[in-house]
Amino acid sequence: MRRAPVPGLLLPPSPLLLLLGLLVLDRGCTAQYSSDLCNWRGSGLTHESHKKDVEQVYLRCSEGTIEWMYPTGALIIHLRPNIFPSSSKHWTVCIKPHKDSAGANIYLEKTGELKLLYRDGDHSSTKVHCFSYEHSGLFVEATPQQDISRKITGFQYKLINKGTASDMHMIYAPCRPCSDTEVLLAVCTSDFVVRGTIQNVINEEEEQDSVIDVSVNRIYRQKMKIFKPVEETGTWEGQIKTLLQCGVKPGEGDFLFTGHMHFGEARLGCAPRFKDFQRMYKEAKDKGLNPCEIGPDILHQ
């Protein structure tokens, strides 16, 4: 007699998934901690060839990297950063696979169900996936391979506070123009805030990204060296990425570029025309509603 499918389960029943259920119930199972509690690197070669082991990995940081060489069996990855349990609903987890990641499927475990995030072999799927921290369990299942010698499953993860408006705008609605409030908050909380012009836009079809070449007139903040001086021209230049679907094109005029570093890349947040930003800033300043000061001369440039 065939077993009826479990309602809502996104994967066909398998011995490995049954083992997953047992491990969730068994608090005494072996757990594998990363050496620095932020990053984990392991190898499937430690498994006996006839076993489909499930290893539990616990990570304690807000961002890091997973690298699983020669994947066999499965990993259950628990993200346990030092945040208060009562504030967990205010956090989002984002993951991005390495470009050459191979050898395993990556699933989100949510209330007993598994949702496929990345399928092994889909090399075009390198976009960022985000989900609530309350559902932050990841299940990484090795796919059957005749030769695992060249397979490495890898991805980066990062926790983001939902209260950071510019961050969430960048993730969930990157092509929507920012409201005045979102722009003013972005100026206060972004990793970079610069005034500049768009010199060129390079569309990367495979990555589904657009790379914006920015010539900078004024740097208000940059936490990493995104924008650097160019000896030949004496100007400062740098690159910012955004989604290809946003349709960014070169154009005249100055913009205020804001954004955050995500997985080693500068990602565009709010980017109003500079004269529009000056209007927003003055109106908020006159009403005493500015969340922060960006500079005394901002209205006179």
Side-chain angles (χ1 to χ4, degrees):
M1 180 181 294
R2 297 186 60 187
R3 180 179 299 177
V6 180
L9 193 62
L10 303 184
L11 292 176
S14 72
L16 190 54
L17 292 184
L18 294 178
L19 180 57
L20 170 62
L22 291 174
L23 285 174
V24 172
L25 294 174
D26 181 12
R27 297 295 183 181
C29 60
T30 301
Q32 186 165 1
Y33 287 80
S34 62
S35 58
D36 60 4
L37 302 183
C38 297
N39 309 295
W40 181 86
R41 191 180 190 193
S43 171
L45 294 182
T46 59
H47 299 168
E48 296 180 30
S49 60
H50 64 282
K51 289 185 177 181
K52 290 187 174 180
D53 291 339
V54 178
E55 296 185 20
Q56 303 234 14
V57 177
Y58 289 81
L59 299 168
R60 303 295 188 185
C61 298
S62 60
E63 59 182 295
T65 300
I66 300 290
E67 281 194 353
W68 191 20
M69 299 179 292
Y70 323 121
T72 60
L75 301 176
I76 303 175
I77 299 173
H78 306 270
L79 301 180
R80 297 291 186 268
N82 294 322
I83 61 175
F84 291 109
S86 59
S87 68
S88 61
K89 63 183 179 180
H90 301 300
W91 292 86
T92 288
V93 180
C94 293
I95 68 170
K96 181 180 181 181
H98 297 169
K99 187 175 182 180
D100 55 354
S101 179
N105 296 325
I106 303 175
Y107 302 89
L108 171 65
E109 189 280 322
K110 181 179 179 181
T111 60
E113 298 181 0
L114 295 176
K115 177 183 178 182
L116 180 64
L117 298 180
Y118 297 102
R119 186 183 301 278
D120 183 27
D122 185 5
H123 297 294
S124 63
S125 182
T126 57
K127 66 179 181 180
V128 175
H129 273 282
C130 299
F131 45 87
S132 173
Y133 170 72
E134 295 175 292
H135 311 296
S136 59
L138 294 172
F139 180 59
V140 186
E141 183 181 27
T143 54
Q145 305 285 339
Q146 291 184 345
D147 179 13
I148 65 170
S149 62
R150 297 182 181 275
K151 305 296 184 182
I152 299 178
T153 299
F155 62 90
Q156 298 168 277
Y157 71 90
K158 182 174 183 178
L159 269 71
I160 299 171
N161 193 326
K162 293 180 182 178
T164 309
S166 57
D167 251 11
M168 302 316 294
H169 170 271
M170 177 170 52
I171 293 168
Y172 292 113
C175 302
R176 174 180 61 80
C178 292
S179 66
D180 290 7
T181 300
E182 287 173 330
V183 169
L184 293 173
L185 286 175
V187 168
C188 302
T189 61
S190 292
D191 291 338
F192 61 88
V193 181
V194 300
R195 176 185 179 181
T197 57
I198 299 175
Q199 297 297 104
N200 189 32
V201 177
I202 303 170
N203 293 325
E204 298 180 337
E205 297 289 343
E206 183 178 350
E207 300 288 337
Q208 288 296 294
D209 275 336
S210 292
V211 181
I212 307 169
D213 290 331
V214 176
S215 178
V216 176
N217 300 328
R218 176 74 180 271
I219 296 176
Y220 299 102
R221 182 189 309 120
Q222 65 167 341
K223 293 184 178 179
M224 298 184 69
K225 294 183 179 180
I226 306 164
F227 306 98
K228 302 175 183 178
V230 180
E231 292 183 5
E232 294 79 4
T233 61
T235 59
W236 287 63
E237 297 179 359
Q239 292 185 328
I240 307 172
K241 284 191 174 185
T242 191
L243 292 183
L244 179 63
Q245 69 190 52
C246 296
V248 176
K249 293 179 172 57
E252 297 181 355
D254 284 6
F255 294 84
L256 186 77
F257 297 98
T258 71
H260 287 264
M261 297 299 297
H262 279 285
F263 306 114
E265 298 176 341
R267 305 294 303 194
L268 183 65
C270 298
R273 288 193 175 274
F274 189 74
K275 61 180 181 181
D276 292 333
F277 167 69
Q278 287 180 306
R279 172 190 57 77
M280 302 175 200
Y281 189 84
K282 184 178 186 306
E283 290 177 356
K285 187 177 180 64
D286 291 345
K287 296 176 182 179
L289 299 176
N290 253 359
C292 67
E293 292 284 341
I294 189 173
D297 58 345
I298 189 71
L299 298 176
H300 308 290
Q301 296 180 30

